[in-house]
Structure formats: C-alpha cells, structure tokens
Amino acid sequence: MKKYLLIGMTTAMLVLTTACGGQGGGNTNSSQQSGVTDTGVATSENGAASGEQLVVKATNYAFDQKEYHVKKGQPVTIVFQNEEGNHGLAIPALNVKLDSSNSTMTVTPEQAGQFDMACSIMCGSGHSTMVAKLIVDEA
C-alpha cells in the first residue's frame, strides 16, 4: 500500500514540477510583435504610442515585463504569447483570461490605476511569483 502511495505522490510531483517545461503553444506570428515598445505598448509607424495592441509574453515563471502601460478609455487588444511552458494570463479587473487556445482579447479600460496580472494556469513551483502590473494611465 505504501509503495502505491509513494508512486502516486512521485508522479504528482513530476507533473507539477514539469508543467512549465513543455514547449510553448502560443501564437508567435512576427507581425503581431512589430510595433511594440519595451514597455509593451504598441506604437504607430512614427513611434508614437497608439495603445492598440499590448503583447504579453510568458516564459517559465515570468512575464516579459513587470509593468505594462495602456491608456484609459482607449481600446487595446491584449495578445498573449506563451513562449515557454504552459501558462495563462488573468487580469481580473478587466475580466481578461487568456491562454494558448484563446490568446487575444480587446478591452477598453475605463478606470485609471494599477491592476494585478497573474498566470492563470498552475505551472509549477514558481507559479505564485508569476505576476505583473497593468498600469492604466489617464488618456
């Protein structure tokens, strides 16, 4: 009996610790990556922020930015790209929940402030540290 319990616990631990180690299944279309500044805000051809697209990339236990900026009252398409592992993106204040099968959503933030972003798929031992901030600036 103890042998089966030990095998079951070992299997469960392997699943939990390797969940983030798989190949990313997110959309890696390079046309969606163009025009995004280091802050994750989309820009127009002349380099001015357009606020039209926000790309969030996920790797094992981290998003590519600690903060992302968008403008209040302006529609923004959030594009989630799973670069490494198996992750999701949740922004509860905007009712956003994205993953590799549902990787884009357009929202219009109506309130300025800082909002929590987190991984929405249990991805292993670093899951709880996989957080960032969405900062909605006054337009």
Side-chain angles (χ1 to χ4, degrees):
M1 183 70 165
K2 288 183 181 180
K3 180 179 178 181
Y4 294 114
L5 181 61
L6 181 60
I7 290 171
M9 289 176 59
T10 303
T11 303
M13 290 300 295
L14 284 171
V15 169
L16 286 175
T17 58
T18 60
C20 284
Q23 294 297 319
N27 188 346
T28 57
N29 183 347
S30 62
S31 67
Q32 290 182 335
Q33 295 174 3
S34 63
V36 178
T37 67
D38 287 341
T39 60
V41 176
T43 59
S44 62
E45 289 182 7
N46 66 6
S50 66
E52 295 175 358
Q53 189 178 74
L54 174 71
V55 178
V56 178
K57 296 178 184 178
T59 59
N60 284 336
Y61 313 127
F63 294 111
D64 63 325
Q65 310 270 333
K66 289 291 181 189
E67 295 181 350
Y68 300 87
H69 289 264
V70 297
K71 296 285 186 185
K72 175 184 168 185
Q74 294 183 6
V76 60
T77 299
I78 301 170
V79 179
F80 177 69
Q81 294 180 349
N82 200 14
E83 300 284 310
E84 180 181 22
N86 185 25
H87 306 285
L89 172 65
I91 310 172
L94 297 177
N95 294 320
V96 171
K97 190 169 183 183
L98 300 173
D99 57 31
S100 60
S101 64
N102 180 29
S103 62
T104 36
M105 182 176 189
T106 301
V107 296
T108 304
E110 298 297 338
Q111 182 178 354
Q114 291 189 21
F115 303 96
D116 294 329
M117 300 171 59
C119 179
S120 61
I121 296 175
M122 177 50 137
C123 57
S125 61
H127 174 72
S128 63
T129 63
M130 197 167 169
V131 295
K133 293 283 183 191
L134 177 68
I135 300 172
V136 179
D137 299 311
E138 291 289 339

